[in-house]
């Protein structure tokens, strides 16, 4: 099952949250909404999964 991403926040501060069923919920990026990466639309295949695995667990 693929990693699911959720963006949460406002224009000043937003979080990119990644959920992979095989592991804990992770926080790959924090920043402004326009500055967050968009792993689901990246041109390089697999970049979203690599970012999610490298991020620190939230719990």
């Amino acid at each position: 099952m693929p990693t699911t991403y959720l963006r949460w926040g406002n224009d000043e501060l937003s979080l990119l949250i990644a959920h992979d069923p095989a592991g804990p919920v992770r926080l790959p990026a924090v920043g402004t909404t326009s500055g967050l990466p968009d792993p689901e639309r990246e041109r390089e295949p697999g970049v979203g999964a690599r970012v999610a695995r490298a991020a620190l667990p939230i719990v």
Side-chain angles (χ1 to χ4, degrees), residues 7-42:
R7 290 171 180 262
W8 182 82
N10 57 33
D11 291 338
E12 299 298 319
L13 179 64
S14 295
L15 307 174
L16 179 63
I17 300 167
H19 174 255
D20 179 355
V25 175
R26 296 181 177 271
L27 184 63
V30 176
T32 61
T33 301
S34 61
L36 290 180
D38 192 352
E40 295 177 337
R41 294 193 178 141
E42 292 288 339

